[in-house]
Amino acid sequence: MENQTENNSQNKGSFFQSTTAKMMMVGLLTLVLLIPLELVKDLISERSQRKQEVVNEVTELWGKDVFFYGPILKVPYKAYKEYNVTNSKTKVVTIEKSATIEYAYFFPEKLSNKSDVKKNTSLKRGIYNNVVFTANMHFDGQFTQPDYAKLGIKEEDLLWDKASIIVKTTNLKSIKSDLNIRLNNQKLDFESKPEEDNFYGTLETSTFNYKVLANKETIYFNFLMQYNGSNSVKFIPVGKTTSIIVDSDWDSPSFEGTFAANDTTKTIGKKGFHADWKILDINRSFSQQYAEKIPNLNEYSFGVKLIETVDEYQQSERASKYGFLVIGLTFLVFFLIQSISKISIHIFQYSMIGLALIMFYTLLISITEHSSFALGYVIAGISVIALITLYSVSVLKNKKFPLFIGLSLTALYTFIFVIIQLENYALLVGSIGLFLILGAVMYFSRKIDWNNSNS
């Protein structure tokens, strides 16, 4: 009976000392370490959300997206409505007319714009740098004789002496220039009008006599506008011919909208970008004149979005997604060393190594917030690799294996950093790298006798 008990005890002890049991415990520990790794990801998300709140607060005060729609010639006209009037005594029905004032809107024949968009990095809130811009925009062009006949309006019904110019634009509170427009030789001031919708604000000049001002049925215009803004600058191509030029010191533009920038002249570099568009009336399906109401033409908008390249939190989040890979491969290296060298590594020592790997991400976030992602990554990587390498010396009792571990971690962190920096080739490089890592693991593990339960 005692011999049977002793044999069961030996069998039980031999199982927990077996390669299978050790693999199970290391695997279980790897899964347990996913919990603090997820907490780190939550921390990154929380810090990123806080940054976005600060950015929204600053852009609300400084200025948001710039959308420009205009200029538009506005001319009032008399519209008549007929109604029947019945004489109460004779019962004779007569037709009478009543006149109301409506408005006709005419888009320009030519519209040209040259915008210079400058980055502003002075708005710092705590540890966050908020990147916004100042846009200096110069407009010029011409109005030709309005085609009121297409609207079914008679010339005698048009009130030419009460014409005005209107501009619809967002971000009225962030316009920083004097608001006036020169029409031929006359200068008129813009005034802000009650908003007609929740998106655009309206600027309108005082009235003028179109017939008197028009020179050979043409009115030339030019004006300047300066905006404080953020995120994007976009236009509605209201000119029969619309030409837009945008120059900026922003190095990461995203061209958006219905119309593409000219590929032959578009340039993007580290010092900024240049883009231009030329849009004809045949390129868009809306008219040059409207009665009663200006249509919503936002679907025809185009321009540039001044995006911020992947910020430090997005990069940290991408790095944390490889956390499971880093922990798993590091444990695998230690396990292979343990199996090859017959050195015993306790599960507690695996735990310390795993926590050190988790600390990489907290160091990365905290250092990056006060410097840059690259510098934070290098400092956090060197710190964690040095810590694990020195700890490995005491665990493995020699310098050969710790040196190999240090080099392996250096290669792994370098590989992950390269993947994070890549965009178009991240999947390709990542797949090739993982394939090579698998090949290395298969090579170094080829001589291990997995059938020896006591190895």
Side-chain angles (χ1 to χ4, degrees), residues 366-391:
S366 57
I367 297 172
T368 298
E369 285 186 334
H370 297 277
S371 57
S372 65
F373 176 79
L375 181 60
Y377 194 96
V378 169
I379 294 175
I382 291 175
S383 301
V384 170
I385 292 171
L387 179 64
I388 293 177
T389 302
L390 292 174
Y391 186 66

Side-chain angles (χ1 to χ4, degrees), residues 38-56 124-130 308 311-317 320 361-371:
E38 286 300 317
L39 295 177
V40 169
K41 291 180 181 179
D42 290 341
L43 176 62
I44 296 173
S45 178
E46 178 186 336
R47 302 297 288 179
S48 178
Q49 184 177 357
R50 172 57 185 158
K51 178 184 177 181
Q52 190 58 49
E53 290 173 358
V54 173
V55 169
N56 291 341
K124 186 172 183 178
R125 289 287 183 89
I127 62 174
Y128 304 112
N129 273 320
N130 301 279
E308 183 180 0
D311 68 15
E312 63 272 17
Y313 294 110
Q314 290 175 309
Q315 290 177 312
S316 296
E317 182 182 5
S320 68
Y361 300 102
T362 57
L363 286 173
L364 175 62
I365 302 165
S366 57
I367 297 172
T368 298
E369 285 186 334
H370 297 277
S371 57

Side-chain angles (χ1 to χ4, degrees), residues 183-447:
L183 303 176
N184 287 347
N185 295 321
Q186 185 174 343
K187 186 172 77 171
L188 299 174
D189 292 330
F190 281 112
E191 293 182 0
S192 180
K193 297 297 181 180
E195 296 183 4
E196 298 177 359
D197 56 50
N198 295 325
F199 188 75
Y200 287 107
T202 302
L203 300 172
E204 185 172 359
T205 66
S206 54
T207 59
F208 63 91
N209 192 316
Y210 178 88
K211 288 294 188 181
V212 173
L213 190 61
N215 180 19
K216 295 181 180 180
E217 299 184 346
T218 300
I219 292 180
Y220 297 93
F221 64 84
N222 67 82
F223 60 98
L224 298 171
M225 298 192 78
Q226 184 184 78
Y227 288 91
N228 287 343
S230 61
N231 195 49
S232 65
V233 179
K234 293 185 179 180
F235 305 87
I236 306 292
V238 295
K240 196 168 185 179
T241 300
T242 301
S243 301
I244 304 292
I245 298 174
V246 178
D247 290 292
S248 176
D249 58 356
W250 209 288
D251 59 355
S252 55
S254 174
F255 301 102
E256 297 183 337
T258 305
F259 306 98
N262 190 334
D263 283 335
T264 59
T265 57
K266 180 176 66 177
T267 59
I268 303 174
K270 292 183 178 180
K271 294 184 178 180
F273 71 88
H274 166 88
D276 60 82
W277 295 258
K278 185 174 182 180
I279 300 159
L280 306 177
D281 61 330
I282 59 173
N283 302 136
R284 65 332 185 253
S285 57
F286 60 82
S287 176
Q288 287 295 109
Q289 52 278 317
Y290 289 91
E292 298 182 11
K293 186 179 180 180
I294 302 175
N296 185 334
L297 299 176
N298 283 357
E299 61 182 293
Y300 297 97
S301 66
F302 68 94
V304 59
K305 183 176 182 180
L306 306 173
I307 61 175
E308 183 180 0
T309 51
V310 180
D311 68 15
E312 63 272 17
Y313 294 110
Q314 290 175 309
Q315 290 177 312
S316 296
E317 182 182 5
R318 290 176 64 181
S320 68
K321 290 180 179 179
Y322 294 96
F324 179 75
L325 175 66
V326 173
I327 295 171
L329 288 177
T330 304
F331 282 179
L332 182 59
V333 169
F334 273 94
F335 186 80
L336 290 176
I337 290 173
Q338 175 181 348
S339 301
I340 294 171
S341 64
K342 308 301 181 181
I343 298 173
S344 178
I345 303 177
H346 196 273
I347 194 66
F348 176 80
Q349 293 169 322
Y350 275 106
S351 301
M352 292 298 99
I353 295 167
L355 292 175
L357 295 173
I358 298 295
M359 281 298 300
F360 167 80
Y361 300 102
T362 57
L363 286 173
L364 175 62
I365 302 165
S366 57
I367 297 172
T368 298
E369 285 186 334
H370 297 277
S371 57
S372 65
F373 176 79
L375 181 60
Y377 194 96
V378 169
I379 294 175
I382 291 175
S383 301
V384 170
I385 292 171
L387 179 64
I388 293 177
T389 302
L390 292 174
Y391 186 66
S392 301
V393 173
S394 64
V395 173
L396 303 175
K397 308 301 181 183
N398 61 52
K399 294 183 179 180
K400 179 178 68 173
F401 289 129
L403 180 61
F404 174 74
I405 290 169
L407 292 175
S408 299
L409 285 174
T410 301
L412 181 58
Y413 279 121
T414 302
F415 169 65
I416 292 173
F417 182 81
V418 170
I419 292 178
I420 292 172
Q421 303 307 308
L422 295 175
E423 293 183 6
N424 297 329
Y425 298 99
L427 180 60
L428 176 62
V429 174
S431 300
I432 294 174
L434 291 175
F435 179 81
L436 294 176
I437 291 172
L438 176 62
V441 171
M442 293 172 71
Y443 176 81
F444 286 110
S445 62
R446 72 192 189 284
K447 293 184 178 180

